[in-house]
Amino acid sequence: MSNLNAEYRNDWLHKMASVCEAKSTIDSTLFQKYEVKRGLRDLNGRGVLTGLTEISEIRSYKMEDDEMVPCDGKLYYQGIDIEEIIDGFLTEKRFGYEEVVYLLLFGKLPNSHELEDLKDMLANYRHNLPTSFVRDIIMKAPSVDLMNTLGRSVLTLYSYDDRADDISTENVLRQCLQLVALFPMFSVYGYQAACYFHEGSSFFLHPPKPEYSTAENILHMLRADSEFTPLEAKILDIALVLHAEHGGGNNSTFTDHVVTSSGTDTYAAISASLGSLKGPRHGGANKKVSMMFEDMKKRVKNWEDEEEVRSYLTALLNRNVFDKAGLIYGMGHAVYSISDPRARTFRKFVKRLAEEKGMQREYALYNMVENLAPQVIAEERHIYKGVSANIDFYSGLVYSMLDIPLELYTPLFAIGRIAGWSAHRLEELVNAGKIIRPAYKAVAKHKPYVPMSERE
């Protein structure tokens, strides 16, 4: 076996990467010629219909005279308006994530007894995580990327499950409820382990409390003193509710459907969805929003000066500042154009939290960017539909006000979304459709095989 030095290996990889890029580049005109729906969306941004679901509905337009007219976005869980759901549990002064889990999985709002049964099930699963799992999996070789930690934990659960490959409804439901219960522990414990081993900070693991909601347990396990205010727990709970589900076509949920359709086990399907959610174009976007604003606060001297903020946003789009990707993170959505109902709902509570935390200046800056960004994007880009703030725009601000570390932003998204992934996995299995296999058209020209002695 040859022993190549590091410099040669790096030079070879650099050279061959250029070869890969050259051979992988497809003539962009061919996508139009063959009417390819790139991203499974048409030129107007509408998704290609690939399935049916009862779990949730996203509404971003209405029909008028046989024409699609954009409207304020609406989101329905099992046919119920998400804004009504949130107003309902807030009015009745209770946490909502657990009943949303019940609603998504079983298609109806639970009565008080059904809700208590579900809470007891989740508390039991949290309590029964083997001590050896925390020691051997979470505490050993902790990753600085907590989405990878979460994915590894999910895949390792396979080895602890005597019925890991059983895809009967009852068994998959058990597995999914376990994941709903354990995601907060995997995420927070993974963060504590990473801080200890990579930063040398104090190490502590607070066991979850059975009487606490999911949101309360996250704050309890995360903070050294386990202290939090009722408003903090309430807003984190709302965040989990808003992240719990968003249709079958979003990237991570569609991944769940695709992988589930192959007949594989729950742990493999959910870990695939986690891999999708990690991407900065999907769940990782909330981290990008916060990082973008941190860069903005350093460069913009007067946060109240609209022209200075506008100039920064223009520079963002022109790839001159921050990560030079040409994007204003948190603005725009593949489906919504006029408004994202999740962002609209979040906005109602962000101001109150900002006042409690003394962060009114940050809130005012976010509010200004939300108003200015659509104008700047319209001036600098050719866009086919309106642009508005999406949920990632405000979730990053909320998490920063809750003193949640940046590393946990995307895992928090996953903690909420595991409810939707579970419901979609069950729906895919129950309906027993075909394996999902869309078509790709081959456009490479046929070439003859050339013997080694005749190659250049």
Side-chain angles (χ1 to χ4, degrees):
M1 182 177 181
S2 60
N3 186 22
L4 302 177
N5 63 48
E7 183 178 358
Y8 182 90
R9 290 199 308 270
N10 291 337
D11 287 345
W12 186 88
L13 287 171
H14 179 73
K15 179 181 71 174
M16 298 311 294
S18 298
V19 174
C20 283
E21 288 182 359
K23 76 93 181 172
S24 298
T25 301
I26 296 174
D27 182 354
S28 60
T29 62
L30 295 179
F31 290 97
Q32 289 184 315
K33 176 180 178 181
Y34 295 112
E35 299 182 347
V36 176
K37 305 298 188 294
R38 304 194 73 180
L40 291 181
R41 297 198 296 270
D42 64 21
L43 292 176
N44 294 316
R46 292 187 295 267
V48 175
L49 187 62
T50 60
L52 303 174
T53 184
E54 292 185 341
I55 297 167
S56 70
E57 176 188 358
I58 302 166
R59 189 171 293 175
S60 60
Y61 64 87
K62 54 187 177 181
M63 299 300 297
E64 292 184 1
D65 298 325
D66 295 326
E67 289 190 11
M68 297 172 60
V69 179
C71 65
D72 283 322
K74 300 291 286 183
L75 176 60
Y76 300 86
Y77 288 177
Q78 293 285 359
I80 305 174
D81 190 326
I82 186 62
E83 293 171 88
E84 291 183 16
I85 294 173
I86 292 174
D87 287 343
F89 64 71
L90 289 179
T91 300
E92 297 174 4
K93 293 182 171 55
R94 65 174 185 277
F95 293 97
Y97 179 66
E98 287 74 21
E99 70 178 85
V100 162
V101 171
Y102 191 101
L103 171 64
L104 293 173
L105 288 174
F106 307 118
K108 64 183 283 288
L109 290 169
N111 60 36
S112 58
H113 297 298
E114 291 167 337
L115 183 57
E116 287 306 311
D117 283 345
L118 176 65
K119 289 180 180 178
D120 288 344
M121 290 287 289
L122 297 178
N124 181 69
Y125 287 134
R126 291 188 185 113
H127 179 72
N128 287 330
L129 179 66
T131 303
S132 60
F133 190 96
V134 177
R135 183 192 65 219
D136 297 340
I137 307 306
I138 295 177
M139 291 180 61
K140 287 188 177 179
S143 171
V144 293
D145 191 299
L146 297 181
M147 288 298 286
N148 285 346
T149 296
L150 190 51
R152 182 180 66 179
S153 297
V154 170
L155 284 173
T156 307
L157 276 180
Y158 181 98
S159 301
Y160 288 76
D161 189 344
D162 293 334
R163 299 171 60 197
D165 289 308
D166 179 353
I167 59 172
S168 66
T169 300
E170 180 179 342
N171 192 56
V172 171
L173 177 60
R174 171 188 64 83
Q175 293 170 329
C176 288
L177 288 174
Q178 283 184 294
L179 292 175
V180 170
L182 295 176
F183 262 37
M185 297 173 68
F186 290 163
S187 301
V188 176
Y189 288 178
Y191 172 73
Q192 307 293 16
C195 287
Y196 175 73
F197 286 102
H198 293 288
E199 300 176 15
S201 59
S202 298
F203 186 57
F204 60 89
L205 294 178
H206 298 316
K209 293 188 175 183
E211 69 272 22
Y212 274 0
S213 68
T214 301
E216 289 174 306
N217 263 318
I218 291 170
L219 295 174
H220 154 68
M221 291 187 293
L222 179 61
R223 296 178 175 178
D225 60 6
S226 293
E227 296 294 324
F228 53 87
T229 68
L231 180 61
E232 287 179 315
K234 178 193 294 184
I235 291 181
L236 181 55
D237 178 66
I238 292 170
L240 296 177
V241 167
L242 292 172
H243 279 120
E245 165 60 7
H246 204 234
N250 70 79
N251 196 277
S252 58
T253 304
F254 186 62
T255 297
D256 184 18
H257 275 281
V258 170
V259 179
T260 293
S261 76
S262 74
T264 194
D265 66 275
T266 296
Y267 306 108
I270 298 302
S271 66
S273 294
L274 284 166
S276 162
L277 192 71
K278 178 186 175 183
R281 294 182 180 179
H282 193 8
N286 52 21
K287 290 172 59 176
K288 282 288 191 177
V289 172
S290 291
M291 294 164 67
M292 177 187 74
F293 268 95
E294 287 303 309
D295 185 71
M296 186 187 309
K297 287 187 282 188
K298 292 175 184 176
R299 295 175 182 270
V300 175
K301 295 179 180 178
N302 183 358
W303 296 3
E304 298 175 1
D305 187 332
E306 284 196 7
E307 287 308 312
E308 195 174 355
V309 173
R310 181 187 288 270
S311 295
Y312 178 86
L313 296 177
T314 301
L316 269 176
L317 290 177
N318 290 326
R319 305 175 188 270
N320 294 325
V321 293
F322 186 43
D323 61 358
K324 299 183 180 179
L327 299 171
I328 300 178
Y329 291 99
M331 299 303 301
H333 192 272
V335 177
Y336 303 115
S337 54
I338 293 181
S339 66
D340 180 339
R342 303 167 301 168
R344 191 170 63 236
T345 301
F346 233 170
R347 192 188 302 114
K348 300 175 186 176
F349 304 96
V350 172
K351 186 176 182 181
R352 288 176 56 193
L353 186 60
E355 291 169 352
E356 180 178 284
K357 294 288 187 177
M359 296 178 66
Q360 293 93 330
R361 287 187 70 224
E362 282 82 357
Y363 172 75
L365 178 61
Y366 270 73
N367 196 44
M368 183 186 295
V369 170
E370 181 182 11
N371 292 327
L372 290 178
Q375 302 172 24
V376 176
I377 293 171
E379 292 166 3
E380 299 291 327
R381 295 278 193 273
H382 174 70
I383 55 177
Y384 58 82
K385 66 185 184 71
V387 176
S388 61
N390 59 47
I391 190 172
D392 294 315
F393 185 81
Y394 277 111
S395 63
L397 175 61
V398 167
Y399 297 156
S400 68
M401 289 194 289
L402 291 174
D403 298 317
I404 290 171
L406 190 67
E407 295 87 345
L408 277 170
Y409 284 17
T410 311
L412 277 175
F413 195 150
I415 291 170
R417 186 56 60 86
I418 181 59
W421 291 339
S422 298
H424 280 276
R425 173 164 170 77
L426 285 160
E427 191 176 66
E428 181 69 36
L429 288 171
V430 168
N431 286 283
K434 295 181 178 180
I435 186 171
I436 297 173
R437 191 189 186 283
Y440 269 66
K441 182 176 180 59
V443 292
K445 295 180 180 178
H446 290 186
K447 300 179 286 288
Y449 177 81
V450 178
M452 177 68 75
S453 60
E454 298 176 20
R455 298 176 198 170
E456 295 181 358

